[in-house]
Amino acid sequence: MQEGARTELLRILGEQGFRDDQESRITHSYDGTPMLQALPDAVVYPVDTAQVSAIMKVLARHRIPVVGRGSGTNLCGGTVPLEGGVVMVMHRMNRILEVDLDNLTATVQPGLITKDFIAHVEGLGLFYPPDPSSMAISTIGGNIAECSGGLRGLKYGTTKDYVLGLEAVLPSGEIIRTGGKLMKDVAGYDLTKLLVGSEGTLAIVTEATLKLIPPPAAKKTMLAMYADLYDAARTVSRIIERRIIPATLEFLDNPTIRVVDAYAGLGLPLDMAAILLIEQDGPPELVERDIGQIEAICREERAVRVQVAESAEEAQKLLTARRSAFTALARLRPTTILEDATVPRSKIADMVLEINRIAAKHAVNICTFGHAGDGNLHPTATTDARDQDEIHRVEAAFAEIFEASIRLGGTITGEHGVGVVKAPYLEWKVGAAGIEVMRAIKSSFDPHNLLNPGKVFAKETRKRVVIDRG
Amino acid sequence: MAESTLEKRGARTAVNGPEAGLTKLNPLADKLKLRLDEDQLTNCMRCGFCLPACPTFRETGIEAESPRGRIALMKAVADGLMDPDEAFETQMNHCLGCRACEPACPADVKYGQLIEQARDAIEDHTTSHRWWVKTVRSVMFKQVFPKQRNMRLLGGALQLYQRTGLARLARGAGAMKLLPRHLADMEAIMPAASRTGVVDRIGEHVPARGPRIAKVGLFRGCLMDVLFTETNVKTAELLATAGFEVVIPPAQNCCGALHAHSGEAEGARALARRNIRAFREAGVDYIVSNAGGCGAALVEYDHLLHEDVQWREDAAWFAQRVIDVSELLMRSGRVTELLAVGLPETRDAAQAASSEAGSRASAPPVADGDPRAGAVAGGTPIAAAACAPAAETITYQDSCHLRNVMRSAEAPRRLLQQVAGTCYTEMCESDRCCGSAGIYNLTQPEMAGDILAHKMEHANRTGAGVILTSNPGCLLQMKLGVKRHGRDAEVTHVVDYLHRRLRIQEAPRRG
Ligand SMILES: Cc1cc2nc3c(=O)[nH]c(=O)nc-3n(C[C@H](O)[C@H](O)[C@H](O)COP(=O)(O)OP(=O)(O)OC[C@H]3O[C@@H](n4cnc5c(N)ncnc54)[C@H](O)[C@@H]3O)c2cc1C
Ligand code: SF4
Ligand code: SF4
């Protein structure tokens, strides 16, 4: 890093807040994305908005790129500093500034760990639903930047539905405030929503006002197993048709069932095509009624086995299969590539069959589980980064999976973000004109392309694969 | 350019810094490349799930102080992206070795093995130990730990020192002030050393009381048998009461844990072989340990000797039979029955307490997401208000190695919860390392001190009058904690506590 910029940053941050030794650079060269690494020139740890603003001014003057970083758990290469520059770690800005019990809002700093926040508000008898599986370590800032979802997305929505207002620092160092403790606000463009899911490419979020809701009084869990994939998929559609919105509606396909059973020894029937895990919450009477109806639908749709948990422990047991899915897959092979192609929920069965067909065609191992209620699937390839040939096949398979997803009216990513990994496919989804609008937005926020360069926008779009359906 | 994402991903492994293609000669780098298990390095998918479990990350918030960060540093060395410099060594030594990152890891990365391999390589090269660490290390690792006779002598010397008033003199004269503060503090909390070990006291064999369930070999531990001889004696007596025939093979020696954790792998293997022979020849069904740190080393003998064709099978035989004393007591059922009945004078209190038992914790926290792993999060604190007035409030601090390596977290808690007339109160974050971690509190006093201060905040909040542990290192550390930050609480080993509550009939003593 240029000596001038370095001195200025050191002056702002002190020895504690600025590091450019080998150790710091190596440990900020990666995130949760497989096979992706690039070294930053320095790492900074701001403690407040004023510092963030001061840092941004220095970086803008010296035209040094900056990548915001929460806990580096994203799966799209979002925090890998492709063009070097500075990684800005938000961990030291991790305070809960206020919980407003009159307005049911919380104002927090972005480095706050999601689970710590959820635990805190639950302690106050309130509820913050977005619960990505990574919440024990992900940050609120990272959740906002990726618009993360979770198991409760179907009924409660995702991060975007809970962000009411933001404070953010632009690449110029200017501080903007959007939204507020407001349930309604149409004063101008909705910059809050624009920043949610912007993957650190428009501004650094320094404060967020989040919506809280009262927690549901009761919850009930059930599991249904199917010999035919379409029966399971139809169950999902029928539940929604009957105007029931379960809190959770999760899905495991056959390859995943096998892996989970081998890992956790749950005695699952290995000939099942799919397992659905369903939870409903709310007032006790309603939960009873809904679960009763859902159970009936499952049976009508030829579920081979339906289990309703009668106690909290039993519910835990039923949840085990879904909860261990990722762990079980991660242990199979050294490298695990988790994607999140998403389709309209009526197309789930078609999509799963497509994924299985594509995996077989390329001779790769892909297991699929995910949020059936949201149509958000996690086709997960287990492979080995050291096997170049296999990696090429995995990559070809994912390109086809993205194509299939779009063909079925879906998208290339439901909750993990575009980052660098899916940038070459973005145009398939949003079209050339869509990319142009996005580029224009990007350059109005960040004219010198300093914020997280190389993300979202690919240097070149990938040629669309011609699907041979034989 | 971007023909494919994954090619792009692949291409990006070429790093853009000046370190790329580093070819400078560095013998430590070569050794690390050789020693570090490439599969384990690749298995880490950098998901970050281990970060919240790691005490050093929690204390500092710095990625390099996390398991993921340390593995990334090792991998960078193995990949030739980075030169292992002094900062690298320091970072590897900062790790407590508590292995809380292992149960938290979805990919089952064997972090414990990686850090041992890294330290082993470093140990061959390092020049950076402080003088006193170096001296203590060399004497301890080569002369004292491997030889139980020398341990005895050390015990004798310590005893002499403590008994003769030399200790008082030294403290009074300020001789202790010449030592670093933590060493001086440690000196003050050391239990009375003894010159006679468990075998001298009760012999090599204690018959089972009542019908015999199985034959168990007691692993007495080297330090354990000098500083906590009484705990060893009581372990044998509890086991006998529970229905086990106890043998104490005298040929056994130090488990080698400190060697392995400190980069002395060859020393550890030699010790392992001798222990395996001793217990094999004794023909036992179980090898019982009462020190989490030792037990964890014993249970991994199969890994330690997996490249040793001659010993591999025996090592596996041994590792399969290693068990912690609490686990065995739970399984027998006899001790739990006795505990539930309680002592005559505590029965009333027991009844009062049991009527409120519903509001108490019945099981330790279990992991979210992994049905087999131990808990990631700390124990949920339970209000002390649930206790009957007459009950003694007790709490338990996990031994990291018992919990994370032997994966035994429930047994000691269950046993303690069943002691009539006491009120078991779970400590917040009881699953987190106390900062003792072998000789960590001697080599990394600052970090150990910070961790301990936090630990004691939680311990004090339980209001417990007795803090229980399952490992001598933790026991001393918690004592140090009570001394530095504490309310007046007794710190004792689970075995000693159970023995006391049960008023177990003592085996005939010899010495
Ligand atoms: C095993 C595993 C399971 C996962 N499960 C889920 C899941 O169920 N649902 C889901 O949606 N995701 C999931 N994820 C993905 C990931 O955890 C989420 O995207 C999470 O929100 C990232 O949070 P983080 O703090 O780690 O952010 P990081 O990875 O550090 O950053 C993510 C992005 O946010 C930007 N950013 C971070 N902080 C700021 C800030 N203050 N201002 C501006 N930009 C910022 C970064 O530049 C980057 O682009 C999972 C990941 C893993 C490894
Ligand atoms: S939890 Fe395991 S795989 Fe994930 S970063 Fe930590 S060591 Fe690596
Ligand atoms: S062993 Fe303990 S201190 Fe070391 S990395 Fe793992 S959790 Fe952290």
Side-chain angles (χ1 to χ4, degrees):
Chain A
M1 161 164 301
Q2 303 126 280
E3 216 25 64
R6 187 174 189 278
T7 319
E8 288 178 59
L9 289 175
L10 261 169
R11 199 176 307 131
I12 297 167
L13 289 149
E15 298 273 343
Q16 283 296 307
F18 177 94
R19 287 167 191 248
D20 59 355
D21 53 304
Q22 180 173 244
E23 169 184 288
S24 305
R25 295 174 60 210
I26 292 280
T27 52
H28 293 84
S29 63
Y30 53 79
D31 54 27
T33 321
M35 299 178 285
L36 202 61
Q37 189 166 17
L39 288 180
D41 298 309
V43 182
V44 297
Y45 302 84
V47 295
D48 57 24
T49 308
Q51 273 195 356
V52 174
S53 167
I55 296 166
M56 297 295 260
K57 283 181 185 151
V58 172
L59 297 176
R61 202 157 357 94
H62 295 271
R63 299 280 191 271
I64 297 171
V66 56
V67 181
R69 189 178 192 270
S71 293
T73 68
N74 75 87
L75 297 165
C76 60
T79 49
V80 178
L82 295 178
E83 302 187 7
V86 168
V87 167
M88 188 186 281
V89 180
M90 306 308 290
H91 273 163
R92 292 195 182 156
M93 293 176 65
N94 64 350
R95 278 179 306 135
I96 299 174
L97 300 172
E98 180 200 53
V99 178
D100 181 340
L101 296 176
D102 295 332
N103 288 305
L104 291 192
T105 63
T107 304
V108 306
Q109 291 186 316
L112 178 64
I113 303 295
T114 314
K115 193 173 176 189
D116 293 350
F117 176 60
I118 289 181
H120 183 82
V121 299
E122 281 179 1
L124 298 170
L126 290 165
F127 185 35
Y128 177 76
D131 61 342
S133 324
S134 52
M135 69 180 184
I137 185 61
S138 76
T139 64
I140 294 289
N143 294 168
I144 291 173
E146 300 291 8
C147 187
S148 298
L151 292 187
R152 307 162 179 157
L154 173 57
K155 181 170 184 174
Y156 293 103
T158 60
T159 303
K160 68 178 184 307
D161 301 302
Y162 295 86
V163 181
L164 298 174
L166 292 172
E167 178 192 80
V169 179
L170 300 178
S172 62
E174 237 156 322
I175 301 167
I176 59 167
R177 286 193 155 270
T178 74
K181 292 181 184 174
L182 302 164
M183 297 302 145
K184 292 181 173 182
D185 177 16
V186 293
Y189 296 150
D190 189 343
L191 295 181
T192 311
K193 285 274 193 304
L194 180 59
L195 289 177
V196 175
S198 65
E199 304 191 15
T201 61
L202 300 181
I204 295 288
V205 172
T206 48
E207 198 183 293
T209 301
L210 305 171
K211 180 167 96 176
L212 304 174
I213 60 175
K219 180 157 95 178
K220 210 152 182 181
T221 306
M222 60 177 283
L223 203 66
M225 300 185 188
Y226 296 85
D228 184 304
L229 202 57
Y230 281 95
D231 292 340
R234 238 185 348 266
T235 303
V236 174
S237 300
R238 290 275 314 280
I239 293 172
I240 313 281
E241 254 168 50
R242 291 266 197 99
R243 310 282 186 271
I244 302 173
I245 307 290
T248 297
L249 216 175
E250 297 289 303
F251 160 89
L252 303 178
D253 76 347
N254 175 277
T256 314
I257 295 170
R258 288 169 177 276
V259 173
V260 167
D261 196 67
Y263 162 67
L266 300 174
L268 300 172
L270 300 182
D271 52 347
M272 289 294 118
I275 291 181
L276 291 180
L277 172 84
I278 308 166
E279 284 193 306
Q280 181 58 308
D281 62 11
E285 323 77 65
L286 198 82
V287 172
E288 285 299 328
R289 196 200 66 194
D290 282 358
I291 288 287
Q293 289 194 9
I294 294 172
E295 193 183 346
I297 295 171
C298 291
R299 294 195 195 284
E300 282 162 28
E301 295 301 339
R302 302 192 301 165
V304 179
R305 199 199 284 179
V306 183
Q307 280 170 274
V308 180
E310 291 308 329
S311 66
E313 290 95 74
E314 228 183 293
Q316 285 304 319
K317 271 198 202 129
L318 297 189
L319 283 164
T320 311
R322 169 64 181 90
R323 282 204 182 146
S324 6
F326 179 67
T327 305
L329 288 169
R331 289 174 187 216
L332 272 191
R333 303 276 307 277
T335 308
T336 309
I337 304 180
L338 180 70
E339 285 298 351
D340 65 332
T342 301
V343 293
R345 63 182 154 245
S346 58
K347 291 288 196 275
I348 284 205
D350 297 330
M351 188 64 204
V352 172
L353 290 179
E354 273 297 281
I355 293 170
N356 291 344
R357 185 188 63 77
I358 293 166
K361 175 177 154 192
H362 293 277
V364 292
N365 184 28
I366 299 183
C367 298
T368 304
F369 61 96
H371 320 299
D374 306 337
N376 181 354
L377 296 173
H378 290 308
T380 304
T382 55
T383 176
D384 188 332
R386 293 164 293 188
D387 183 341
Q388 278 302 316
D389 179 56
E390 185 174 325
I391 292 295
H392 279 297
R393 282 183 280 123
V394 168
E395 166 241 328
F398 273 122
E400 272 190 48
I401 287 171
F402 296 145
E403 154 75 44
S405 171
I406 291 176
R407 187 159 31 80
L408 292 169
T411 182
I412 55 174
T413 171
E415 59 181 11
H416 293 167
V418 176
V420 59
V421 170
K422 272 158 287 184
Y425 305 95
L426 182 61
E427 196 178 319
W428 297 6
K429 169 71 178 90
V430 302
I435 295 271
E436 272 325 297
V437 175
M438 290 188 192
R439 271 193 202 281
I441 293 172
K442 163 79 173 166
S443 62
S444 67
F445 273 82
D446 183 16
H448 304 296
N449 193 26
L450 298 178
L451 265 178
N452 214 352
K455 311 299 162 64
V456 181
F457 305 103
K459 294 215 174 76
E460 221 174 277
T461 289
R462 186 142 196 244
K463 275 202 205 65
R464 230 169 137 160
V465 254
V466 183
I467 304 289
D468 81 75
R469 249 167 282 170
Chain B
M1 259 288 294
E3 292 107 65
S4 69
T5 44
L6 288 160
E7 265 163 17
K8 235 181 128 168
R9 285 168 163 173
R12 280 296 162 189
T13 36
V15 172
N16 58 352
E19 289 82 352
L22 179 123
T23 47
K24 233 186 319 160
L25 267 179
N26 180 325
L28 175 54
D30 292 342
K31 185 145 274 173
L32 281 162
K33 279 177 207 169
L34 217 65
R35 295 261 168 95
L36 289 168
D37 183 337
E38 192 206 337
D39 286 334
Q40 294 301 331
L41 291 176
T42 315
N43 281 348
C44 172
M45 55 186 170
R46 300 179 170 173
C47 65
F49 278 29
C50 51
L51 268 62
C54 175
T56 56
F57 176 74
R58 297 248 310 192
E59 215 48 63
T60 61
I62 289 174
E63 176 82 18
E65 300 267 5
S66 78
R68 180 175 67 173
R70 293 191 179 107
I71 294 171
L73 290 170
M74 295 180 209
K75 186 154 196 306
V77 171
D79 290 347
L81 296 180
M82 168 181 145
D83 225 357
D85 52 6
E86 215 182 296
F88 176 82
E89 275 183 38
T90 309
Q91 194 46 264
M92 295 304 129
N93 288 331
H94 259 193
C95 166
L96 291 155
C98 70
R99 297 171 64 175
C101 43
E102 287 190 24
C105 175
D108 195 26
V109 172
K110 307 274 190 245
Y111 176 86
Q113 295 172 14
L114 285 172
I115 192 75
E116 279 178 15
Q117 290 156 358
R119 287 182 178 168
D120 197 31
I122 289 173
E123 211 37 57
D124 288 353
H125 290 272
T126 191
T127 48
S128 65
H129 285 317
R130 276 171 278 188
W131 66 267
W132 57 270
V133 178
K134 233 178 167 152
T135 318
V136 172
R137 275 182 73 107
S138 125
V139 175
M140 284 307 216
F141 285 136
K142 303 226 162 70
Q143 299 304 325
V144 181
F145 288 126
K147 301 170 185 160
Q148 194 63 19
R149 203 173 54 86
N150 286 354
M151 284 301 284
R152 285 265 75 78
L153 285 177
L154 176 78
L158 257 175
Q159 192 190 44
L160 194 72
Y161 166 81
Q162 287 165 331
R163 291 252 175 95
T164 54
L166 252 180
R168 226 174 320 122
L169 194 68
R171 267 181 292 224
M176 282 299 147
K177 298 213 175 70
L178 294 177
L179 290 171
R181 162 162 179 240
H182 41 279
L183 267 190
D185 272 354
M186 282 310 272
E187 193 274 345
I189 48 135
M190 277 303 202
S194 82
R195 206 201 296 257
T196 54
V198 60
V199 175
D200 304 316
R201 303 270 183 94
I202 55 172
E204 292 168 24
H205 182 250
V206 182
R209 294 184 188 150
R212 190 189 90 145
I213 301 173
K215 180 174 174 184
V216 303
L218 174 64
F219 186 80
R220 67 184 166 197
C222 55
L223 258 183
M224 195 72 200
D225 209 35
V226 171
L227 293 176
F228 299 92
T229 323
E230 204 44 43
T231 307
N232 274 346
V233 170
K234 286 174 179 160
T235 302
E237 285 166 356
L238 266 180
L239 285 166
T241 308
F244 298 101
E245 175 189 355
V246 184
V247 292
I248 313 171
Q252 61 177 298
N253 51 224
C254 164
C255 64
L258 288 181
H259 293 73
H261 301 157
S262 312
E264 310 269 348
E266 211 25 75
R269 280 190 276 271
L271 293 170
R273 291 187 195 105
R274 276 190 262 157
N275 279 329
I276 294 171
R277 185 180 303 124
F279 283 90
R280 239 227 117 153
E281 281 168 4
V284 296
D285 301 311
Y286 292 101
I287 296 141
V288 195
S289 144
N290 57 10
C294 303
L298 302 176
V299 87
E300 291 191 328
Y301 275 4
D302 53 346
H303 169 71
L304 186 67
L305 295 171
H306 75 283
E307 279 173 0
D308 186 332
V309 196
Q310 211 186 325
W311 283 86
R312 193 186 288 157
E313 259 171 55
D314 284 340
W317 174 90
F318 186 95
Q320 275 161 16
R321 279 162 181 77
V322 174
I323 189 167
D324 184 70
V325 57
S326 294
E327 200 77 42
L328 210 51
L329 292 177
M330 270 304 290
R331 287 195 201 168
S332 105
R334 280 187 219 167
V335 163
T336 45
E337 274 167 36
L338 283 171
L339 286 172
V341 177
L343 302 172
E345 77 270 26
T346 54
R347 263 183 215 148
D348 292 344
Q351 265 154 16
S354 73
S355 64
E356 304 194 43
S359 53
R360 287 206 231 151
S362 56
V366 246
D368 200 65
D370 183 346
R372 301 187 308 186
V376 175
T380 331
I382 284 103
C387 293
E392 179 168 62
T393 305
I394 60 176
T395 194
Y396 176 70
Q397 162 64 35
D398 274 298
S399 143
C400 295
H401 286 128
L402 184 57
R403 180 184 186 97
N404 301 323
V405 184
M406 299 185 83
R407 304 279 166 115
S408 180
E410 278 204 36
R413 287 183 169 79
R414 287 259 185 90
L415 285 172
L416 292 171
Q417 282 159 0
Q418 281 167 22
V419 180
T422 63
C423 178
Y424 180 81
T425 307
E426 187 68 46
M427 179 190 341
C428 174
E429 300 193 343
S430 52
D431 61 342
R432 238 169 254 280
C433 185
C434 60
S436 153
I439 53 171
Y440 189 88
N441 49 6
L442 299 181
T443 57
Q444 305 288 339
E446 297 85 11
M447 180 79 79
D450 289 350
I451 290 173
L452 182 60
H454 283 145
K455 175 61 65 190
M456 291 316 295
E457 280 170 28
H458 293 310
N460 290 340
R461 229 171 280 148
T462 61
V466 189
I467 301 170
L468 283 317
T469 73
S470 297
N471 187 48
C474 313
L475 193 146
L476 293 180
Q477 179 78 346
M478 293 305 288
K479 275 197 170 168
L480 184 65
V482 169
K483 179 169 180 289
R484 281 192 194 158
H485 314 275
R487 307 167 345 117
D488 185 27
E490 179 193 353
V491 184
T492 188
H493 194 290
V494 170
V495 162
D496 292 326
Y497 189 72
L498 295 178
H499 192 280
R500 177 165 95 208
R501 300 295 304 195
L502 287 175
R503 293 205 181 145
I504 299 265
Q505 184 202 341
E506 293 184 355
R509 302 287 206 274
R510 293 162 153 195

